[in-house]
Amino acid sequence: MGRIIDYLPLSQWLKHYHRDSFASDLVAGIVVGIMLIPQGMAYAFLAGLPPEFGLYAAIIPLFLYSLLGSSRSLAVGPVAIASLMVGSTIADTAAKGLGDPINIAINLSLLVGVILILLRALQLGSIVNFMSHSVISGFTSAAALLIAISQIKHLFGLDIPNGGFIADPFIYLFNNLQQTNIATLLLGLLSIAVLWFVKDKLCCMLERSPLPDWLVKPICRAGPMFAMVIGILVVASMQLDQNHSVAIVGTIPQGLPTISDISIDLQLWQQLITPAALIALIGFLESVSVATTLASKRRERIDPNKELVALGVANIGSAFSGTFPVAGGFGRSMVNFSAGAQTTIASMISALIVAVTVAFFTPLFYYLPKAALGAVIIMAVIPLIDLKAFTNSWRFNKADGLTLLSTFCLVLILGVELGILSGIAISFLLLLYRSSQPHIAVVGRVGDSEHFRNIDRHDVTTDKQLLSIRVDESLYFANTRFVEDFIRRQCGHRQEIEHVVLICNAVNFIDASALETLENLSVHLASEGITLHLSEVKGPVMDQLKNTDFLQHIRPGKVFFTTDEAVRELSCCYHPSPKGKNI
């Protein structure tokens, strides 16, 4: 039992806990708890579930994370991208008759939790490193755009069909514009105006005021709550739900979520395994990125392995409390940090705030207009659409820019899951393409030094009988033919060459295909009176070569410790000449 307690990061923080720490946690917990109420309802709305399920997702899962998480400031709960993926999965799976939306969401939470814990057990947390920044950026921007478009129907009060091509909602809207519910549209625009005013105008005024920073930042983030309160008051006072058919949330069940059994269907799990894996990976990546950023501000570190366990258990708790998957949210976590959260006690207090709301105050949300929830979602995801990311990536590396643009377009065309899988596949193909055509430089000596650099970039000297080649990549099946063809072309252009030195200071490994190619190259060069040598071979690569017959095959070729040593020994008489004037 003692070992288990020592494993919990919270137990270590409590050893140095004091009254001031609790005061900070209390303020942060109350602020984030108030934020969670509108956000949870809005993201449940986005996932295609009743609003109370968003509140349920901010109670037990948040409490479990607070016990196990290694981040003091990460605020776990419903997040926009995961909610979109949940909604897409629910729509696809329910259309196939494999279950009702709530059961699908519960099983999805359970699968996400199990996958995260399996990743920890197999020590595969680093798998998220295979999702490049370009893929994540393109996916996030496309998903944010899809989320915003999906809320158009709630702003206009139209029953726009889900699914289909990205342009379909706009076509439907154009054809049915005369059926727009004007009262709903005005409420939606009012909510957007309130959110914009709080975030931009009010926030600027407060930042210039003498109010403390811990109070200003939470108010700047409280726009969703203001929008919901104003929407409720307007609808209730004017009876817009009855007089103008404004869609409202209606009755929200009062009472805490109950721990319940899960109906497991293997056929359903087969359908959910791919989206669950993607939700788990993206949620973990987002959570760790946010947690690392906030921890660095305190010169602390988080433990990704503990985060896998904490997020996994939180999602399993989400399943048993009957709701959908959760992750760490950037906006809430920043507010939690800014409000002064010292430990995950703040998350416990946030969970308590939401639990009290669910237990006693859900009747207050009866008149909440769905247009206000739609506006909250739209304004939350618009900052995620990063147009500069493409131009910056394209200027820096066209392959990264292409990956970002391809992922963005494929998510819009194929949908969330197929789109991101295609983006990952494209990034791997481009990586393979780049490594299959590595940078290769013919090098020469810099002055009288022991340094050798590219003859096209520096003023160097070379020897007419010696060709020194540097390959800036490990050698494996995909690029050895490219390297071989380059060396053969160089030798064909310079008939006086007697020695070729392959500089291996950038070669970290050589696979069997590359080894065979080098042996064949050695034989081919020998037939033309040219000897192949190696220099600056790294220890692990040298160990590989010693376990084979390669060193015997290249004889009389040698393996030199340095390129300087190779050039001094192999030059017929060491009299280097300036670049372009071989002796």
Side-chain angles (χ1 to χ4, degrees):
M1 188 66 180
R3 290 185 178 181
I4 295 177
I5 294 176
D6 290 338
Y7 174 84
L8 304 179
L10 182 60
S11 67
Q12 303 301 317
W13 298 330
L14 290 179
K15 292 178 181 179
H16 308 285
Y17 204 66
H18 47 79
R19 183 181 299 175
D20 291 341
S21 298
F22 177 74
S24 298
D25 282 342
L26 180 63
V27 171
I30 292 173
V31 170
V32 174
I34 293 173
M35 279 188 67
L36 267 169
I37 294 167
Q39 284 190 347
M41 296 173 69
Y43 292 147
F45 195 51
L46 177 60
L49 296 169
E52 65 268 19
F53 285 84
L55 300 177
Y56 297 161
I59 302 176
I60 294 178
L62 188 53
F63 182 80
L64 290 173
Y65 177 83
S66 67
L67 292 176
L68 300 170
S70 64
S71 171
R72 295 174 183 262
S73 305
L74 188 67
V76 171
V79 293
I81 301 297
S83 298
L84 171 68
M85 299 176 73
V86 170
S88 174
T89 303
I90 287 175
D92 293 343
T93 308
K96 297 177 182 178
L98 294 178
D100 63 275
I102 295 175
N103 185 52
I104 293 170
I106 292 171
N107 278 271
L108 202 53
S109 296
L110 182 60
L111 271 175
V112 168
V114 170
I115 288 170
L116 288 170
I117 291 177
L118 280 177
L119 288 176
R120 171 63 184 96
L122 299 174
Q123 298 184 346
L124 293 177
S126 60
I127 192 172
V128 295
N129 296 334
F130 292 97
M131 301 176 70
S132 70
H133 172 74
S134 298
V135 171
I136 295 300
S137 182
F139 164 74
T140 301
S141 294
L145 183 58
L146 288 175
I147 290 171
I149 291 173
S150 71
Q151 300 307 303
I152 290 177
K153 62 182 181 181
H154 301 298
L155 288 184
F156 285 82
L158 296 173
D159 188 18
I160 300 177
N162 293 321
F165 190 63
I166 185 173
D168 289 350
F170 297 103
I171 296 173
Y172 184 96
L173 178 63
F174 179 79
N175 293 332
N176 298 273
L177 197 58
Q178 68 279 5
Q179 299 178 23
T180 299
N181 187 312
I182 301 300
T184 298
L185 179 60
L186 291 176
L187 270 174
L189 294 177
L190 174 63
S191 299
I192 290 175
V194 170
L195 291 163
W196 170 80
F197 175 78
V198 172
K199 184 177 180 181
D200 288 351
K201 299 299 181 180
L202 181 61
C203 190
C204 290
M205 290 188 291
L206 291 175
E207 286 176 349
R208 291 193 295 266
S209 71
L211 293 174
D213 191 57
W214 63 265
L215 181 59
V216 170
K217 289 192 176 181
I219 294 176
C220 292
R221 297 278 183 172
M225 181 59 74
F226 290 128
M228 287 178 58
V229 170
I230 291 173
I232 291 171
L233 293 176
V234 170
V235 172
S237 62
M238 302 176 66
Q239 295 293 302
L240 294 180
D241 57 319
Q242 298 178 17
N243 299 332
H244 295 280
S245 301
V246 171
I248 59 174
V249 168
T251 302
I252 298 177
Q254 191 172 347
L256 295 172
T258 57
I259 304 298
S260 57
D261 295 333
I262 300 175
S263 176
I264 295 177
D265 183 347
L266 294 181
Q267 185 180 2
L268 176 61
W269 277 33
Q270 290 176 353
Q271 180 72 23
L272 298 180
I273 189 66
T274 299
L278 291 174
I279 292 171
L281 291 177
I282 292 172
F284 175 62
L285 179 62
E286 180 180 3
S287 302
V288 169
S289 299
V290 174
T292 302
T293 300
L294 296 179
S296 65
K297 295 178 182 293
R298 288 184 168 135
R299 297 186 178 181
E300 297 175 345
R301 293 179 61 86
I302 66 160
D303 187 340
N305 289 325
K306 289 186 178 180
E307 289 301 299
L308 278 173
V309 174
L311 290 169
V313 171
N315 276 282
I316 291 175
S318 187
F320 280 99
S321 55
T323 186
F324 58 101
V326 297
F330 180 76
R332 287 195 306 271
S333 299
M334 288 299 297
V335 170
N336 198 32
F337 177 85
S338 300
Q342 299 298 309
T343 67
T344 51
I345 294 291
S347 293
M348 291 185 181
I349 294 170
S350 298
L352 181 62
I353 295 291
V354 178
V356 170
T357 301
V358 171
F360 301 106
F361 299 112
T362 53
L364 296 177
F365 300 112
Y366 179 87
Y367 289 105
L368 175 62
K370 292 184 177 180
L373 289 177
V376 168
I377 292 171
I378 290 173
M379 295 299 285
V381 299
I382 283 178
L384 299 178
I385 303 174
D386 190 356
L387 298 179
K388 289 184 179 179
F390 170 72
T391 55
N392 292 339
S393 296
W394 183 262
R395 283 198 298 266
F396 181 75
N397 188 308
K398 288 183 171 53
D400 287 338
L402 180 62
T403 301
L404 192 156
L405 181 61
S406 300
T407 304
F408 178 84
C409 294
L410 288 170
V411 169
L412 295 181
I413 295 170
L414 302 178
V416 175
E417 286 121 24
L418 285 177
I420 192 172
L421 288 173
S422 300
I424 294 172
I426 289 173
S427 67
F428 273 108
L429 290 174
L430 288 174
L431 174 64
L432 187 62
Y433 174 77
R434 286 198 298 266
S435 63
S436 69
Q437 301 190 44
H439 177 259
I440 304 176
V442 177
V443 302
R445 185 186 295 273
V446 180
D448 293 328
S449 71
E450 298 180 359
H451 301 291
F452 291 79
R453 295 293 186 268
N454 192 332
I455 65 172
D456 295 326
R457 293 178 178 271
H458 301 274
D459 185 16
V460 297
T461 55
T462 60
D463 188 289
K464 65 179 181 180
Q465 297 179 348
L466 178 63
L467 175 66
S468 299
I469 300 285
R470 188 189 72 234
V471 181
D472 296 331
E473 183 63 75
S474 295
L475 300 177
Y476 71 114
F477 66 91
N479 63 19
T480 50
R481 180 60 63 88
F482 182 83
V483 175
E484 180 184 15
D485 290 344
F486 181 90
I487 294 175
R488 287 189 176 188
R489 283 197 305 273
Q490 292 293 323
C491 293
H493 295 157
R494 294 168 54 183
Q495 300 297 324
E496 65 275 17
I497 292 176
E498 296 180 2
H499 299 281
V500 172
V501 177
L502 185 61
I503 304 171
C504 301
N505 58 356
V507 177
N508 294 316
F509 73 91
I510 298 177
D511 72 357
S513 298
L515 188 66
E516 183 179 359
T517 299
L518 289 177
E519 290 177 350
N520 293 336
L521 176 63
S522 175
V523 171
H524 173 79
L525 293 177
S527 67
E528 297 181 355
I530 302 173
T531 305
L532 176 67
H533 307 270
L534 305 181
S535 72
E536 302 189 33
V537 180
K538 292 184 176 180
V541 177
M542 195 64 192
D543 293 339
Q544 284 183 284
L545 297 179
K546 287 179 179 178
N547 291 329
T548 68
D549 297 330
F550 175 77
L551 299 179
Q552 286 74 35
H553 285 156
I554 66 169
R555 287 180 179 173
K558 297 181 180 180
V559 177
F560 293 95
F561 187 70
T562 66
T563 304
D564 175 67
E565 177 187 344
V567 171
R568 290 181 182 276
E569 180 173 328
L570 298 176
S571 296
C572 57
C573 48
Y574 179 61
H575 296 299
S577 63
K579 183 180 78 172
K581 296 181 180 179
N582 292 322
I583 320 175

